[in-house]
Amino acid sequence: AVALLHVRESHFAMTDALMTLLLWTSLALLVTAALTDREGHDRSRVDAMLCAAAGFAGGLATSTKYNAGAVAVAMVGTQMVWLWRRPSAALSLRTWMPAVAFTLAFIVSFLAGTPYAVLDYPRFSEDLRYDFTHLSGGHNDIFLGRGWVYHATHSLPYGAGLATFAAALVGVIPFIRRHGRAAIVLGAFAVPFYLAVGSGYTVFFRYVLPLIPLICLLAAFGAAVLSRWFARAGLTEGRALALAC
């Protein structure tokens, strides 16, 4: 709610803010599916419904802005979580139904928002190539370095706030250790998304907006870890948490 970059881009009503909302709706549903511990037919049915809803939101997010398509990799991460827990289920058709439901819903919602991807495919393909070409070069011949470096040193720290970004770095390992399944799903999205938006020399801050909620989530874990460290140093619990925040 108070992350600098998200507040600014919401003020300007950019497509990135709407895309982030739809994208994280999809990710939240996938994480919910990955954390389910039900068994049998009920589990398969509920997981398929969750993944279909996630695919629908993900397709709308991708229709809003194409780089949201990285959410499809999060579905792969969700499937990996299930197979990691039950490797023998890989031979069951029921195991793959959630992925099928996600894919079909994703395609339907994407085409509902971007119908001319089919109705005028040549123009769609041409414009898509232009987007990739524009991303690979600097905007208006202004070169600030490749996105992989620039976003890590500028966009994310200043977009989330320096203190929040620092706390997020502290929280990465605790989050992975405590919530491994969720980390796989979110990491399956975040890594390819970052590689995609950072591959060129056009480096608008708003390109990393979908990563800001993840930074805030990790920062919460970082603040909790720091508060425990301060508490061990002799501070009261309340003072330790206040200092960490």
Side-chain angles (χ1 to χ4, degrees), residues 15-243:
T15 55
D16 304 79
L18 176 59
M19 182 257 289
T20 299
L21 170 63
L22 294 167
L23 180 59
W24 275 88
T25 298
S26 179
L27 288 172
L29 290 165
L30 289 176
V31 168
T32 300
L35 296 180
T36 56
D37 291 313
R38 293 177 296 274
E39 298 294 339
H41 291 280
D42 181 59
R43 174 189 173 179
S44 298
R45 180 176 57 82
V46 173
D47 287 346
M49 292 174 61
L50 286 170
C51 289
F56 189 82
L60 291 177
T62 307
S63 179
T64 304
K65 196 166 184 180
Y66 299 143
N67 54 21
V71 72
V73 189
M75 180 65 238
V76 177
T78 305
Q79 196 75 58
M80 288 174 56
V81 168
W82 292 329
L83 293 177
W84 171 53
R85 296 179 63 209
R86 299 178 59 208
S88 60
L91 299 178
S92 172
L93 180 62
R94 188 184 306 147
T95 302
W96 300 96
M97 289 308 297
V100 173
F102 177 95
T103 302
L104 292 177
F106 183 97
I107 293 172
V108 168
S109 62
F110 174 77
L111 292 180
T114 312
Y116 281 89
V118 173
L119 299 178
D120 191 3
Y121 178 77
R123 182 60 181 271
F124 169 78
S125 178
E126 177 185 342
D127 289 347
L128 193 61
R129 286 195 299 270
Y130 170 80
D131 286 341
F132 282 111
T133 301
H134 175 70
L135 183 65
S136 63
H139 183 67
N140 292 334
D141 296 325
I142 298 175
F143 293 92
L144 299 174
R146 192 173 289 277
W148 295 324
V149 176
Y150 187 85
H151 290 316
T153 57
H154 292 78
S155 306
L156 289 174
Y158 294 108
L162 292 174
T164 300
F165 184 73
L169 295 179
V170 175
V172 171
I173 300 302
F175 179 71
I176 293 174
R177 287 178 174 174
R178 187 169 180 178
H179 298 287
R181 284 184 278 176
I184 290 173
V185 176
L186 297 179
F189 156 73
V191 172
F193 180 86
Y194 187 82
L195 292 176
V197 299
S199 61
Y201 292 91
T202 301
V203 289
F204 290 115
F205 270 37
R206 57 187 170 85
Y207 286 178
V208 298
L209 186 62
L211 296 177
I212 296 297
L214 180 59
I215 294 296
C216 293
L217 175 65
L218 295 174
F221 278 83
V225 170
L226 289 171
S227 70
R228 287 195 290 271
W229 290 349
F230 294 146
R232 293 192 193 104
L235 295 177
T236 64
E237 183 177 350
R239 289 181 178 179
L241 182 58
L243 183 59

